[in-house]
Amino acid sequence: MSGASLRVEGLTGHFRTRRGAVPVLDDVSFTARAGQVTAIVGETGSGKSLTALSILRIAPPEFVVERGRVLLDEVDLLTLPERRMRAVRGARVSMVFQDARAALNPVLPVGRQLADVCRLHRPVNRRDAEKAAVEALAAVQIPDAARRARQYPHEFSGGMAQRALIAMALICEPEVVVFDEPTTGLDVTIQAEIMALIGTLTAGGLTALLITHDLGVVAETCAAVVVMRDGRVVEEASTEDVFTRPRHPYTAELLAASRLVEGSLA
């Protein structure tokens, strides 16, 4: 699996409301590099998830992009016609949402859902797509993948459902995957397993963008950090620099609130 750097440049936008425009993103710029995990951190409402949704152009319809670029191999995703963007979304850039059970269709077997995504982007027949689905489930370390593929989402544990969602995001071998709070609601052991899996994927060349509020996860798994506050990027640096030499007071406040110390990077 190979990745490609993703650059966000000057992303600015607002929400349309009955009272007029409400600014929510202001000149958001950062780079997610191939073969590593880049974290976007910040408090609830900082704009990190909206930024992620904007990259794939699946933000709420009330959100209006005023200016900015999202560059994948120098192609601006924000200017692509929707028909071309549909070919990119899922095939070259995909997303793993935080609530796996809500993202999976409860009335279809998990393997069928993966196979449908595969056929949407690849010229394969149903049998080959179903085979690819089983292989994708096995690749994210789901045991007895062929049997699990025939099961429904409610038969999966929370951690297993999250793995299935990651398999769905990876089945078309995208270059970039956005993970939006992928460990929310999971116990510590399962969180560690999911993050270890993401680390393995990036070691293979994948570009991973991790949206999270958990600085402990960031310290252990991410190479770079983007800190957002009130819709703006206030700091972008390596994980080591952010944790040991934060430049912005807000970053220092987040670190103090998290009770993490420099030794957490050792």
Side-chain angles (χ1 to χ4, degrees):
M1 182 177 294
S2 61
S5 290
L6 178 77
R7 296 206 318 272
V8 176
E9 298 181 349
L11 182 62
T12 301
H14 65 267
F15 275 122
R16 289 189 303 254
T17 72
R18 293 179 180 179
R19 297 183 178 181
V22 176
V24 285
L25 295 181
D26 183 8
D27 196 29
V28 174
S29 300
F30 62 87
T31 299
R33 292 179 172 81
Q36 67 180 38
V37 184
T38 298
I40 300 183
V41 303
E43 297 171 304
T44 300
S46 62
K48 55 188 188 294
S49 290
L50 182 58
T51 297
L53 294 173
S54 299
I55 290 170
L56 282 85
R57 286 173 46 182
I58 55 175
E62 297 81 13
F63 177 67
V64 178
V65 174
E66 299 171 20
R67 60 183 180 275
R69 302 194 299 172
V70 175
L71 299 173
L72 178 65
D73 284 342
E74 303 305 319
V75 175
D76 185 2
L77 302 184
L78 297 184
T79 63
L80 289 181
E82 179 57 29
R83 178 182 57 82
R84 288 187 59 192
M85 188 62 199
R86 282 197 299 269
V88 170
R89 191 186 299 120
R92 297 191 64 193
V93 183
S94 59
M95 188 165 184
V96 176
F97 297 92
Q98 61 178 286
D99 189 344
R101 295 193 183 281
L104 293 169
N105 189 327
V107 300
L108 291 177
V110 171
R112 164 71 183 276
Q113 296 182 57
L114 269 68
D116 287 347
V117 171
C118 183
R119 295 192 70 191
L120 182 64
H121 294 287
R122 288 181 174 179
V124 296
N125 58 36
R126 171 64 65 182
R127 178 175 295 180
D128 288 343
E130 290 174 347
K131 179 181 177 182
V134 172
E135 291 172 349
L137 291 173
V140 297
Q141 302 166 14
I142 290 182
D144 198 2
R147 179 178 66 85
R148 288 291 191 177
R150 297 190 295 271
Q151 293 183 329
Y152 291 82
H154 74 268
E155 298 178 87
F156 280 48
S157 67
M160 200 78 74
Q162 194 66 56
R163 288 177 184 274
L165 205 58
I166 293 173
M168 184 180 293
L170 296 174
I171 194 167
C172 293
E173 299 182 353
E175 298 151 80
V176 179
V177 177
V178 179
F179 296 88
D180 188 5
E181 302 277 9
T183 60
T184 296
L186 303 178
D187 66 44
V188 175
T189 301
I190 301 300
Q191 286 183 21
E193 292 176 355
I194 294 297
M195 293 311 304
L197 173 60
I198 293 173
T200 299
L201 295 170
T202 54
L206 180 74
T207 303
L209 187 62
L210 175 67
I211 312 301
T212 185
H213 66 278
D214 190 334
L215 293 182
V217 167
V218 173
E220 294 173 0
T221 62
C222 298
V225 184
V226 177
V227 183
M228 291 190 67
R229 183 183 191 184
D230 297 332
R232 293 181 59 88
V233 173
V234 298
E235 186 163 352
E236 179 183 9
S238 71
T239 301
E240 181 178 1
D241 283 348
V242 165
F243 277 79
T244 60
R245 296 177 292 276
R247 298 192 306 270
H248 196 279
Y250 177 68
T251 306
E253 290 175 11
L254 287 179
L255 290 171
S258 71
R259 298 183 180 178
L260 292 175
V261 296
E262 292 181 10
S264 63
L265 291 180

